[in-house]
Each structure stands twice: as C-alpha cells, then as structure tokens.
Amino acid sequence: MGNASILLVDNRKAIVECIRKSFSEIEVKHTLFSAANENEAWSMLDGSEKITPIPKIIIIDINRTKNKGIQFLTAIRNHTDLKSILVFVITDSKTDKNKVAALNLNIAGYIHMSFESQTLNPFVSVLNDYWNIIEFSSQK
C-alpha cells in the first residue's frame, strides 16, 4: 500500500499513546494522525486542518461520543471524496448500541477489545499485514 496515512479518532490520551506504542512496536510504516473528536477529525478530512493526501484508513471508537460517531461515519459515507476510506471501529465498550448502525455504514470491521499491548499488538499486526496487501486507487 505504500506509506498511507491513518487517522485515529479518540479523546483518551492514554488510548492514543497505547495505539502509537503498538504501531511503533509492530513497526507500522504508515503515518498515524490523531484527532480528539469527530469535529477535529472532520477538519482534518475536509476542513481547515486538511491532511493531504486524505487518510486511507480511520480507526475510531464510536461508542465514546453518543451518536456523534454514527453521524461522523454517515458524513464520511455521504462525501464524494471520503466515502471510500476504510473505517475500523475498535472499542472496549460492551454495548451493541452502535454496532448495527456502524455495520450498515459499510465499516471494514467492528472489533471489541481491551486497549492493552498484549491484545492490541496482535490486532495492529494483522491490520498492518492487511494494509500492506490491499490495493487502493490512486484516485480520490
């Protein structure tokens, strides 16, 4: 896949650092950006803080922000330039409240897991292998 960018959306600094650490330990070569919330993420995707090129992958815990996560995913899927972004929901929440809605928005995966290195590293390793074998269009 080359060196694509990945956007992590989570407001918990400890989780962001844990994921960054896991990316480093697995030696993920992709650039990891982080946004504290959906508004900040949207600004990075289509606003004043726009990331270029647009990230190919978003990792988000939609269960942290009530319905804002589903609204964010809906906006991505309705946006011409963003709808092809792969979205992975990783969550430590045991509620299925948003699971069906997220799956109906064609997310790439909904994964329930704890945010500890012994469970996160194997997950990041599998995702890294996946990202390295899939092909993306050079178009938007």
Side-chain angles (χ1 to χ4, degrees):
M1 173 169 103
N3 189 7
S5 60
I6 300 162
L7 178 58
L8 170 62
V9 183
D10 201 300
N11 63 352
R12 298 165 292 172
K13 290 181 183 182
I15 299 302
V16 172
E17 288 309 310
C18 186
I19 292 173
R20 283 191 185 284
K21 180 181 177 194
S22 188
F23 270 57
S24 177
E25 289 174 0
I26 302 300
E27 298 180 1
V28 174
K29 303 293 186 225
H30 311 293
T31 304
L32 180 64
F33 292 94
S34 63
N37 57 52
E38 291 82 358
N39 290 337
E40 188 177 316
W42 190 258
S43 182
M44 295 170 82
L45 294 171
D46 194 48
S48 60
E49 304 294 322
K50 190 171 183 175
I51 300 168
T52 304
I54 294 170
K56 299 289 187 187
I57 298 152
I58 295 175
I59 300 171
I60 185 172
D61 184 348
I62 60 170
N63 294 311
R64 303 301 299 172
T65 56
K66 299 185 181 175
N67 289 329
K68 290 182 183 178
I70 295 299
Q71 292 169 353
F72 176 69
L73 292 179
T74 300
I76 288 170
R77 292 301 180 235
N78 289 329
H79 192 288
T80 304
D81 295 335
L82 305 177
K83 64 183 175 185
S84 65
I85 295 174
L86 294 176
V87 177
F88 292 91
V89 174
I90 57 173
T91 183
D92 58 355
S93 172
K94 296 203 182 228
T95 180
D96 286 340
K97 178 180 163 185
N98 290 322
K99 185 177 184 178
V100 172
L103 291 169
N104 285 334
L105 289 167
N106 298 318
I107 61 168
Y110 189 99
I111 301 104
H112 177 264
M113 68 181 335
S114 64
F115 292 98
E116 300 166 359
S117 61
Q118 66 267 23
T119 57
L120 196 54
N121 281 1
F123 167 74
V124 170
S125 181
V126 168
L127 283 180
N128 189 48
D129 290 345
Y130 173 74
W131 296 329
N132 286 318
I133 61 171
I134 62 173
E135 293 188 27
F136 288 96
S137 169
S138 59
Q139 299 176 352
K140 291 182 183 180

